[in-house]
Amino acid sequence: MNSKILSIREDLASRLKPGRYEHSLSVSFTCMALAMKYGFDLDRAELAGILHDCAKCYDNTAIIEKCRKYGLELTEGELQAPSVIHAKLGAFLAEHRYGVTDPEILSAIACHTTGKPEMSLLDKILYIADYIEPRRNKVEALPEIRRLAFEDLDEALFQIMEGTLHYLESSGSYTDTMTQKAYHYYKKKKEESK
Ligand code: DGI
Ligand code: FE
Ligand code: FE
């Protein structure tokens, strides 16, 4: 086992609410399961998963304050959809509080909420694991998407992006530019591959 992982877990268990910590553990194991299927390093997948929501120990106001304090620039869209910002601060904390230097892990944490065009394998694994982890139960299509995640990673990615966008639109939430860019990129890719 990666020696860092136990001390990171201990720290997160003391900072996150129990449900959020449980979700983080569940995402880390789901990341490892997807890494087994698609051939990615298990320790790196686990680390991305356990840390992905590390900024969620703060509320959105505190998250924005911390971004200002650490010089992390926020776009107008992010300020209008503040629930996406924990991903950016999370990547910063992963590096500066937890000592992660692996750029692929930091990238996966930074884009785990919105996705982005041209995602790496680890970016996709974390984005999908966050959505399908066994403790999640809010989305009706989850059983089908869980099965799909282990059959066709890109199709699962697309369906999750589409479902998230529909959900945000139907609930009247502002959708961040990156959420839209990511969706349109993968929609075009899917159409071109037909
Ligand atoms: O942190 P989690 O709850 O595990 O999940 P997450 O990081 O995927 O997303 C956190 C929330 O952000 C979730 O309720 C969906 C929402 N979200 C994702 N993209 C956007 C968004 N909210 C708005 N307003 N706009 C977006 O583009
Ligand atoms: Fe998150
Ligand atoms: Fe999460």
Side-chain angles (χ1 to χ4, degrees):
M1 197 193 305
N2 183 324
S3 60
K4 274 197 303 198
I5 204 89
L6 289 179
S7 63
I8 288 175
R9 275 198 210 154
E10 219 175 301
D11 186 75
L12 289 172
S14 71
R15 286 162 69 85
L16 297 171
K17 290 190 179 134
R20 180 61 53 184
Y21 178 65
E22 196 62 26
H23 162 72
S24 303
L25 265 185
S26 199
V27 170
S28 77
F29 293 137
T30 305
C31 280
M32 285 197 279
L34 288 168
M36 286 176 202
K37 166 76 185 171
Y38 294 105
F40 193 85
D41 183 82
L42 300 188
D43 288 342
R44 294 166 74 208
E46 179 178 27
L47 200 51
I50 196 72
L51 283 172
H52 81 286
D53 275 339
C54 66
K56 284 234 165 166
C57 57
Y58 306 116
D59 64 19
N60 283 342
T61 311
I63 286 173
I64 293 170
E65 267 170 28
K66 300 259 173 212
C67 286
R68 298 223 160 100
K69 178 173 152 195
Y70 299 134
L72 301 174
E73 278 181 31
L74 298 174
T75 64
E76 212 33 62
E78 287 171 328
L79 288 167
Q80 288 192 58
S83 48
V84 309
I85 305 174
H86 73 281
K88 185 176 273 184
L89 180 63
F92 179 90
L93 294 176
E95 182 173 2
H96 295 95
R97 180 178 174 86
Y98 298 98
V100 175
T101 53
D102 183 334
E104 273 196 83
I105 294 178
L106 300 177
S107 159
I109 295 173
C111 74
H112 86 265
T113 304
T114 60
K116 66 179 182 187
E118 297 185 63
M119 291 165 81
S120 71
L121 176 56
L122 184 61
D123 292 340
K124 292 175 187 175
I125 285 176
L126 178 58
Y127 182 89
I128 293 170
D130 191 24
Y131 198 84
I132 67 166
E133 62 96 345
R135 304 265 187 251
R136 281 235 200 256
N137 57 11
K138 293 220 173 79
V139 177
E140 208 180 311
L142 258 184
E144 167 64 14
I145 292 174
R146 283 183 174 130
R147 192 184 55 76
L148 195 58
F150 289 88
E151 273 180 23
D152 185 338
L153 195 73
D154 281 332
E155 182 56 25
L157 179 74
F158 177 73
Q159 289 200 13
I160 293 169
M161 286 179 172
E162 191 165 62
T164 302
L165 213 58
H166 285 161
Y167 165 76
L168 291 169
E169 278 165 8
S170 69
S171 64
S173 307
Y174 178 86
T175 41
D176 182 44
T177 327
M178 192 55 79
T179 306
Q180 294 184 28
K181 266 194 200 166
Y183 170 70
H184 290 295
Y185 176 87
Y186 282 101
K187 186 166 189 241
K188 190 159 171 249
K189 218 174 158 197
K190 183 175 161 160
E191 281 161 6
E192 283 168 358
S193 71
K194 273 182 192 159

